[in-house]
Amino acid sequence: MAASGGVRPSSSTDLPEDEVEVLALFARGHTIERIARELGISERTVRRRLRAAADALGAGTSVEAVVRAVRTGLI
């Protein structure tokens, strides 16, 4: 996945690749609008994937999900 800078799956969680990709782009500082544009999906889909990733990681917010994903080596 060139757009996300080489996102790798984690054995510690079962996040789908599309959620990891959105999370990684968000972690790099991309806005929801930019992520949607880059991936050719709607902003609503980006928000849904961020929420799903946060839920899977036990995070209350997308920012907290990024922190957890970085700490666990997911992104």
Side-chain angles (χ1 to χ4, degrees), residues 1-36:
M1 289 187 296
S4 62
V7 174
R8 61 186 181 276
S10 169
S11 58
S12 64
T13 186
D14 291 333
L15 253 68
E17 189 173 319
D18 57 349
E19 291 175 14
V20 175
E21 181 175 31
V22 167
L23 194 58
L25 290 169
F26 190 72
R28 291 173 54 195
H30 292 25
T31 63
I32 288 171
E33 295 80 13
R34 182 174 174 187
I35 295 168

Side-chain angles (χ1 to χ4, degrees), residues 23 26 50-51 53-55 57-68:
L23 194 58
F26 190 72
L50 283 172
R51 176 77 281 173
D55 289 346
L57 292 168
T61 66
S62 297
V63 173
E64 184 182 354
V66 166
V67 171
R68 289 180 183 214

Side-chain angles (χ1 to χ4, degrees), residues 41-74:
I41 59 178
S42 72
E43 291 177 24
R44 183 176 182 176
T45 298
V46 172
R47 286 185 183 89
R48 190 175 330 121
R49 290 179 184 175
L50 283 172
R51 176 77 281 173
D55 289 346
L57 292 168
T61 66
S62 297
V63 173
E64 184 182 354
V66 166
V67 171
R68 289 180 183 214
V70 169
R71 285 183 178 164
T72 62
L74 182 61

